[in-house]
Amino acid sequence: MKEELISTEYIVLIITAILMGTLARFLNLKEDYRQYPTFPNGYLIHLLTGFIAAALGAVAIPALMTKNFVAVTFLALAIQQFRDVRKMEANSLEGLEQTEFAYRGAAYIDGIAKTFEARNYIALTVSFITALTIQLVNNRIWINVVSGIIIGLISFLILKRVSKGKTVGDIAQVKAGKVEVKGSELYVDGIYVSNQLGSENARKLFKEEGLAVVIYPNEEHFRITLDNYGLRQAMLFEATRSVGVKRYHFTRKDYEEGKGIIALVPLVPDIDRMIEAVKKTPLLESVKKSHALMKTNLVGRE
Amino acid sequence: MAREGSIKPNYEILAIVTLNSKRILGGKPLSLLGENQEEAAIMTQDLAKAMKADIVQMKNGDYLIIRV
């Protein structure tokens, strides 16, 4: 009976690796400026899936060491599980679309859902590297554990750094724009935005309380990214989420100079907060392109 | 939000308020004739409030009540 039980060394290895993987997921579970996830249920769901991911990464090494090669195929289960996490997040956010001030849009939801999936892979990888380190060091138990923790933490920091994306603020300047109402038309810094201010109330409201930001691309080619409809929708969503919307929200792009405009009547008239929210909008994976790659000659074309 | 040519617009014209009966040619939206600019503006305002919609004033003075 006792021979069938797992050895103490493996128990220590598995527990340390699981703890490191779960810790990695916990450290990635931030309540950031986007305020998502905000509630304890959200934390619980993601911590638990992170724990399961860590457990899958932790038992891979003992499975290999006991020549149980078939058992390693359960990592395929992990992939399926993380895909489900992505689908769950996407479904959940799509369901919330009608309840927000502005739509997140399909591109932004796809980006958020992929991030949640990737965070589980980070938990699994950190857990696997911790287990591998403990197995390779193979010294006294406490030396194994300390080595595992150190290498696990280093791998987490590297993965976090590598997986961190850029934001709108990295490729563009975001400044406050001057709101003008001429008849029923709205202009920001002299650029036409909308003609939906047909009533006196609307004109008065926008004149007195309207806020607008103008996005100036740092380089000409960044216009391709910034003009993307999905990214502009994401910027509008973040702007409306940060200051609220009393009435009206518009985006517009100026083709002549490549400027982008976001205008709205906020609940909280704080232009700095709105600028910060737009600057910190992540550059969506679906709209990014490598400018350097466009110049390469990969297929030997003359 | 503003729409570009490539994006399918999802707005709906709910009503047209005009001062010129010759501009009412039929169609799906409700068409109303105002006696003067002030009455047209009040009618438009009331309708837009009731339907939680937005108002566009055209250069000829007519109003469109739209929902985006």
Side-chain angles (χ1 to χ4, degrees), chain B residues 7-52:
Chain B
I7 311 286
K8 189 183 173 192
N10 62 355
Y11 57 78
E12 187 186 0
I13 300 173
L14 301 173
I16 297 164
V17 182
T18 180
L19 295 170
N20 185 346
S21 61
K22 286 181 183 170
R23 283 202 283 267
I24 301 177
L25 300 173
K28 187 188 161 196
L30 169 73
S31 333
L32 296 171
L33 185 64
E35 284 202 349
N36 52 50
Q37 192 69 44
E38 192 185 351
E39 191 197 50
I42 292 169
M43 272 200 294
T44 309
Q45 189 88 281
D46 289 346
L47 275 171
K49 272 185 189 170
M51 294 194 259
K52 296 194 173 176

Side-chain angles (χ1 to χ4, degrees), chain A residues 189-221:
Chain A
D189 279 5
I191 301 163
Y192 169 81
V193 175
S194 173
N195 68 346
Q196 280 180 39
L197 307 181
S199 67
E200 258 324 299
N201 288 352
R203 290 165 202 164
K204 193 165 167 262
L205 189 68
F206 229 107
K207 255 184 204 167
E208 290 174 1
E209 300 179 38
L211 289 183
V213 294
V214 184
I215 300 137
Y216 303 83
N218 289 343
E219 303 276 346
E220 184 68 9
H221 66 265

Side-chain angles (χ1 to χ4, degrees), chain A:
Chain A
M1 174 69 187
K2 202 172 181 184
E3 283 172 5
E4 289 173 12
L5 289 176
I6 192 167
S7 68
T8 315
E9 285 80 11
Y10 280 141
I11 290 175
V12 171
L13 180 149
I14 291 169
I15 290 175
T16 313
I18 289 178
L19 286 178
M20 285 305 293
T22 313
L23 180 71
R25 184 68 190 92
F26 177 75
L27 293 175
N28 255 336
L29 194 72
K30 54 191 176 188
E31 186 181 352
D32 59 8
Y33 62 93
R34 284 189 289 275
Q35 296 285 298
Y36 183 82
T38 41
F39 294 107
N41 284 340
Y43 287 128
L44 186 68
I45 290 166
H46 293 298
L47 267 182
L48 209 65
T49 49
F51 170 79
I52 293 167
L56 290 170
V59 295
I61 295 293
L64 278 175
M65 296 308 292
T66 51
K67 295 181 182 172
N68 193 356
F69 299 115
V70 180
V72 181
T73 56
F74 62 68
L75 285 176
L77 273 180
I79 308 288
Q80 189 56 48
Q81 186 216 344
F82 303 150
R83 277 187 188 159
D84 285 346
V85 168
R86 188 209 295 195
K87 273 186 204 162
M88 177 191 79
E89 277 305 319
N91 287 342
S92 169
L93 293 176
E94 275 162 14
L96 291 173
E97 283 286 73
Q98 299 296 330
T99 66
E100 303 284 359
F101 291 121
Y103 295 131
R104 276 190 177 85
Y108 198 16
I109 287 178
D110 181 64
I112 294 172
K114 273 182 187 160
T115 306
F116 276 98
E117 184 186 358
R119 285 175 181 173
N120 281 302
Y121 288 120
I122 290 177
L124 184 141
T125 311
V126 167
S127 159
F128 180 79
I129 289 174
T130 306
L132 187 65
T133 308
I134 292 174
Q135 184 62 44
L136 289 177
V137 171
N138 201 14
N139 207 307
R140 285 179 166 174
I141 284 187
W142 71 269
I143 295 177
N144 294 348
V145 170
V146 170
S147 317
I149 290 172
I150 292 170
I151 299 296
L153 275 176
I154 291 171
S155 62
F156 168 66
L157 292 175
I158 292 170
L159 284 170
K160 198 177 175 189
R161 182 75 193 85
V162 169
S163 64
K164 196 178 178 190
K166 287 192 171 178
T167 60
V168 169
D170 293 329
I171 64 163
Q173 304 287 319
V174 182
K175 293 173 186 168
K178 191 184 168 210
V179 174
E180 288 172 282
V181 178
K182 296 176 187 169
S184 65
E185 293 174 346
L186 172 69
Y187 290 82
V188 173
D189 279 5
I191 301 163
Y192 169 81
V193 175
S194 173
N195 68 346
Q196 280 180 39
L197 307 181
S199 67
E200 258 324 299
N201 288 352
R203 290 165 202 164
K204 193 165 167 262
L205 189 68
F206 229 107
K207 255 184 204 167
E208 290 174 1
E209 300 179 38
L211 289 183
V213 294
V214 184
I215 300 137
Y216 303 83
N218 289 343
E219 303 276 346
E220 184 68 9
H221 66 265
F222 288 149
R223 285 177 65 174
I224 301 167
T225 306
L226 289 169
D227 280 3
N228 180 279
Y229 186 70
L231 185 63
R232 286 193 296 133
Q233 184 70 48
M235 286 191 278
L236 176 68
F237 174 81
E238 289 302 342
T240 58
R241 197 83 192 274
S242 66
V243 291
V245 179
K246 191 180 271 183
R247 195 87 168 82
Y248 306 109
H249 51 75
F250 306 110
T251 68
R252 193 82 187 170
K253 57 182 175 186
D254 169 40
Y255 287 105
E256 283 180 17
E257 294 179 48
K259 290 187 275 190
I261 293 161
I262 294 174
L264 51 88
V265 180
L267 287 168
V268 181
D270 186 343
I271 188 70
D272 293 332
R273 196 193 286 190
M274 188 170 156
I275 290 173
E276 200 59 23
V278 174
K279 273 185 179 173
K280 284 187 174 169
T281 305
L283 287 186
L284 306 178
E285 203 175 322
S286 58
V287 306
K288 266 199 302 187
K289 62 168 68 187
S290 167
H291 202 64
L293 194 64
M294 289 162 74
K295 292 177 186 166
T296 54
N297 185 3
L298 294 173
V299 289
R301 177 169 39 86
E302 281 192 25

